[in-house]
Amino acid sequence: MTLVDDLTWRGLLQDSTDLASLTEALNGGNLTFYVGFDPTAASLHVGHLMQVMTARRLQLAGHKPLLLVGGATGQIGDPKESAERSLNPPEVIEGWVARIRAQLQPFVTYQGANAAELVNNLDWTGPASVIEFLRDVGKHFPVNKMLARDVVRNRLETGISFTEFSYQLLQANDFYELHVRHGCALQYGGSDQWGNITAGVDFIRRRGAGPVHAFTTPLVLKSDGTKFGKSEGGSVWLDPAMTSPYAFYQFWINSDDRDVTQYLRFFSFKSHEELEELEKATAERPQARLAQRALAYEVTALVHGEEEAEQAVAASQALFGRGSLDSLSAGTLQAALSEAGLASVRGELPTMTSLLRESGLVASANEARRTIAEGGAYLNNERITDGEAVLDSAALLHGRYLVLRRGKRTFAGVEYER
């Protein structure tokens, strides 16, 4: 099976320049390609993973990645449908560029004949004067074509700045510069970037260079219509300080049955046969959530490492009484309990009844006593039998945490501060 066959089977090819020519180029040996990421925040989020994982696929097939982090384009901003972007200070963007470049490193290899390279478009855009840019780049862009781009046309009534209007020139010039400097012959990106990408293909042709190729991947949407990459707490980030590995794992575990098989095709590196088996198992036994568990572990291990993935699995089991809480690191336990709701307790050690109420698992002391009497209350996975017993400090996990559970599936955390 060719690379294009695999991309097509996974649903990763939406738009492309001449498909026959693209297929021939990808089958013909070591091709240099690029994909870009603008530093609009301090971290990439799971919405970027489609492009990151696709870069990994292309490299595994023998092609050379250029991962561009836009130190220049990040200062301008690709036009949004809704309104003008807020411009961030250059020194902030410089810091974000460094962080994002570090986040991209685990996904590709930087050794061998097709070693990846990290590039920054500020290197060639920064030194160019306005006159040089307008003469060498702007001269080749018909304004009527730029106005025809959907996002620009939609913004004409509410207004769009010349700064955002000119973004297309910067991205197109990136493709040209990478073609000249590195022999880059392919750019890909999300389908919302098709206008910018084809502008680069056309610009290279107008400059008498090429041929070059391009394709886009589909935008990922959830079956319920909500945006992929969002959870109740907002964006799901790749930076572990912004989204813990446990919360990251839970995002994938909670994938809808209607979405998970497609997510596996997009984000997993399992074989077609393995994925088809998981798809079949999900259809036959959706309650087992085999596809979700496979997806969550694989993506978490790739982004955060196998140790963090193992900890996330262990936490998911231990919190519901199917594993040992003692095996969890303090960081994993704290992250997991924070997701569920982490109450703080200070001062004298409370009674079990008070703990249940203060954790929010019950609304009153009477309800706590009733739950205990019915055998439905647990402390660190041990059933509570005496509601008036005072907490023993030896029960504190890592010297400060407690896991309380009501029934089989409702749990909460308590952090004791002396």
Side-chain angles (χ1 to χ4, degrees):
M1 177 178 289
T2 68
L3 173 60
V4 171
D5 289 336
D6 178 58
L7 295 175
T8 302
W9 182 84
R10 292 175 181 276
L12 291 171
L13 276 180
Q14 177 151 326
D15 306 295
S16 70
T17 50
D18 184 79
L19 186 58
S21 176
L22 174 64
T23 301
E24 183 180 356
L26 288 173
N27 291 343
N30 189 323
L31 183 75
T32 299
F33 67 91
Y34 106 86
V35 60
F37 304 90
D38 272 351
T40 55
S43 172
L44 299 176
H45 53 73
V46 295
H48 294 106
L49 277 179
M50 175 75 90
Q51 311 315 328
V52 176
M53 298 299 202
T54 302
R56 183 178 175 87
R57 291 186 201 286
L58 294 180
Q59 187 180 40
L60 289 172
H63 304 297
K64 178 182 176 64
L66 300 173
L67 304 181
L68 183 149
V69 182
T73 45
Q75 297 186 45
I76 301 301
D78 196 13
K80 295 192 300 183
E81 293 282 355
S82 54
E84 196 82 5
R85 290 182 184 273
S86 298
L87 299 182
N88 294 295
E91 59 273 16
V92 171
I93 293 172
E94 184 180 1
W96 290 351
V97 166
R99 292 181 62 162
I100 291 171
R101 283 164 67 99
Q103 286 177 2
L104 289 169
Q105 290 193 17
F107 295 96
V108 292
T109 180
Y110 297 84
Q111 298 176 344
N114 63 334
E117 292 185 48
L118 295 166
V119 293
N120 185 342
N121 55 20
L122 190 61
D123 292 344
W124 53 84
T125 306
S129 70
V130 173
I131 297 298
E132 288 174 325
F133 189 81
L134 291 176
R135 284 179 59 89
D136 297 340
V137 181
K139 182 67 175 176
H140 298 279
F141 284 81
V143 170
N144 60 316
K145 280 193 172 183
M146 296 175 68
L147 289 170
R149 187 183 173 202
D150 287 344
V151 69
V152 173
R153 189 171 61 248
N154 295 339
R155 285 274 302 279
L156 286 178
E157 290 188 12
T158 58
I160 182 172
S161 70
F162 178 76
T163 298
E164 289 195 0
F165 180 63
S166 65
Y167 182 94
Q168 186 176 106
L169 278 69
L170 295 174
Q171 184 169 330
N173 188 51
D174 288 344
F175 197 178
Y176 174 78
E177 289 289 343
L178 291 173
H179 180 65
V180 171
R181 293 166 182 248
H182 297 274
C184 179
L186 168 66
Q187 180 188 179
Y188 75 89
S191 59
D192 60 334
Q193 291 295 307
W194 184 236
N196 288 339
I197 292 172
T198 53
V201 172
D202 188 53
F203 178 53
I204 290 172
R205 180 187 60 79
R206 288 171 180 267
R207 294 292 296 265
V212 293
H213 313 276
F215 71 85
T216 64
T217 60
L219 295 180
V220 187
L221 298 173
K222 293 183 179 181
S223 296
D224 63 6
T226 58
K227 188 173 181 180
F228 173 78
K230 299 287 186 180
S231 67
E232 291 183 5
S235 294
V236 180
W237 304 99
L238 303 195
D239 187 327
M242 297 171 69
T243 298
S244 71
Y246 175 82
F248 185 85
Y249 177 86
Q250 289 298 312
F251 168 78
W252 298 100
I253 278 287
N254 291 327
S255 298
D256 193 297
D257 289 339
R258 297 170 294 175
D259 298 321
V260 68
T261 54
Q262 186 62 72
Y263 291 172
L264 277 164
R265 292 193 179 205
F266 287 162
F267 302 113
S268 172
F269 289 85
K270 296 183 186 301
S271 69
H272 292 192
E273 294 73 22
E274 289 175 297
L275 293 180
E276 286 170 347
E277 282 295 319
L278 281 169
E279 290 172 11
K280 181 180 177 182
T282 298
E284 293 175 349
R285 294 186 297 132
Q287 69 280 3
R289 304 187 70 76
L290 296 176
Q292 284 89 341
R293 295 211 301 268
L295 175 68
Y297 183 86
E298 183 177 355
V299 179
T300 304
L302 185 57
V303 174
H304 295 297
E306 289 192 3
E307 184 177 347
E308 290 290 358
E310 294 284 358
Q311 280 281 298
V313 173
S316 295
Q317 295 174 341
L319 291 173
F320 296 106
R322 298 191 298 272
S324 171
L325 291 166
D326 294 331
S327 67
L328 305 183
S329 69
T332 299
L333 184 61
Q334 195 273 342
L337 296 179
S338 294
E339 288 292 305
L342 186 59
S344 293
V345 173
R346 295 178 175 84
E348 296 294 326
L349 292 170
T351 64
M352 297 301 171
T353 297
S354 296
L355 271 177
L356 287 171
R357 182 172 51 80
E358 292 182 37
S359 70
L361 287 179
V362 297
S364 66
N366 284 338
E367 186 179 358
R369 294 186 186 99
R370 185 167 61 252
T371 302
I372 293 170
E374 293 171 352
Y378 298 83
L379 172 67
N380 296 344
N381 290 335
E382 298 290 336
R383 183 174 278 119
I384 299 171
T385 57
D386 183 359
E388 302 313 310
V390 175
L391 172 69
D392 186 340
S393 61
L396 294 169
L397 301 166
H398 297 286
R400 65 187 301 141
Y401 299 111
L402 298 168
V403 178
L404 294 169
R405 181 158 47 91
R406 181 181 183 181
K408 291 184 177 181
R409 302 201 58 81
T410 307
F411 73 91
V414 171
E415 183 175 11
Y416 177 69
E417 299 182 15
R418 301 178 190 278

